[in-house]
Amino acid sequence: MIEDSDFEVIRFSPIKLPYRYNALEPYIDEETMEIHYNKHYLGYLNKINALLEKFDVNEDVISLMQNIDKYPIEIRDNGGGYVNHSLFWKMLRPNPEGVSNAPTGLVMNKIKQDFGTYGQFKELMVEASKRRFGSGWLWWVMNRDGSTNILATPYQDNPYMPEYDCYPLLGIDVWEHAYYLKYDADRTKYVKNILNIINWDEVKNRCIFGNRSIFDVRIIN
Ligand code: MN3
């Protein structure tokens, strides 16, 4: 039985970065990672914890996202920021030698089924990232019927929120703070490059869990 790590791990406490700040080079530089983790991520975490106390919120993290319309916008922004980055750190892995990082097995089969080829999947990711004007996130998501598609959300919105109502398989931060030190304004180059460090094992686990029971869990919850 595969546990859904979103429920097990994300409880408004910091996810430890599963690699060193410089481990994602040459694709993401050390300074960007250090600022992104300590300033941005821990900033969202501190703010959401203060807001939960202020508004006396007692929901678990995922329920909070699913019911986000009941809460003030600061909870949406900081709670979303906390959840999205907690997922994001685990979706990356080092690839210092720059070896080929195409998905395999179950993930590749799902991509072929829904997008034709991995090349087309990558193209659609890049296109969606261009259409997201301003800050946001790029996602590969699973719908309730098991189909998947690419989604770009504004600010710190995420697929759990009711207007999207789907399950995140892969998420990529496309805020400028995620890439501008190394890529300047070239979001396209950043998105193409980050595909070299996607942790497809993590994505595979999410595919299996999403496929099996995420929506049942959500209903019970
Ligand atoms: Mn960010």
Side-chain angles (χ1 to χ4, degrees):
M1 173 73 188
I2 289 173
E3 305 270 318
D4 181 18
S5 56
D6 299 0
F7 288 86
E8 294 302 313
V9 180
I10 300 179
R11 295 197 188 283
F12 302 106
S13 56
I15 298 290
K16 192 171 177 295
L17 204 61
Y19 34 74
R20 297 161 77 97
Y21 295 125
N22 66 1
L24 301 180
E25 292 187 1
Y27 304 105
I28 301 181
D29 61 285
E30 179 174 10
E31 190 183 2
T32 296
M33 285 306 290
E34 196 167 355
I35 294 170
H36 201 174
Y37 183 87
N38 290 298
K39 184 164 164 254
H40 296 277
Y41 175 57
L42 296 184
Y44 295 124
L45 177 62
N46 290 335
K47 285 181 200 144
I48 189 62
N49 279 333
L51 286 163
L52 295 180
E53 202 171 313
K54 179 178 168 189
F55 290 97
D56 196 24
V57 177
N58 278 308
E59 296 206 65
D60 71 74
V61 183
I62 302 303
S63 300
L64 183 69
M65 295 297 106
Q66 292 172 328
N67 296 319
I68 200 71
D69 291 348
K70 295 196 309 198
Y71 296 100
I73 188 75
E74 312 97 273
I75 291 192
R76 184 183 192 104
D77 290 340
N78 291 292
Y82 167 66
V83 170
N84 294 353
H85 290 87
S86 296
L87 297 173
F88 182 56
W89 309 135
K90 294 190 295 175
M91 288 172 176
L92 301 177
R93 66 182 172 199
N95 183 5
E97 305 297 326
V99 299
S100 167
N101 188 44
T104 57
L106 182 151
V107 176
M108 188 58 119
N109 290 341
K110 192 66 188 156
I111 285 174
K112 283 182 177 165
Q113 187 187 329
D114 291 353
F115 302 92
T117 64
Y118 180 52
Q120 281 170 295
F121 172 85
K122 287 195 283 190
E123 249 173 61
L124 285 170
M125 291 286 269
V126 169
E127 283 310 308
S129 76
K130 285 181 186 166
R131 287 197 305 273
R132 169 89 290 279
F133 185 78
S135 299
W137 287 74
L138 184 62
W139 306 93
W140 180 31
V141 295
M142 183 173 283
N143 302 302
R144 282 177 180 270
D145 64 3
S147 66
T148 70
N149 59 271
I150 287 162
L151 176 72
T153 56
Y155 308 112
Q156 296 293 354
D157 278 14
N158 62 51
Y160 292 116
M161 293 177 178
E163 49 270 77
Y164 313 107
D165 189 37
C166 49
Y167 181 70
L169 302 174
L170 170 63
I172 296 175
D173 189 343
V174 294
W175 283 58
E176 281 193 349
H177 68 228
Y179 61 85
Y180 73 98
L181 288 179
K182 185 176 176 67
Y183 294 95
D184 198 358
D186 195 345
R187 182 185 284 180
T188 296
K189 189 175 178 193
Y190 159 73
V191 169
K192 285 181 178 168
N193 267 352
I194 204 171
L195 292 169
N196 291 302
I197 46 171
I198 297 301
N199 183 350
W200 292 112
D201 294 330
E202 171 72 10
V203 175
K204 182 178 107 181
N205 287 339
R206 302 188 66 84
C207 282
I208 292 168
F209 190 86
N211 221 3
R212 181 180 290 173
S213 58
I214 180 61
F215 298 124
D216 293 338
V217 169
R218 290 172 60 175
I219 289 160
I220 292 164
N221 215 39

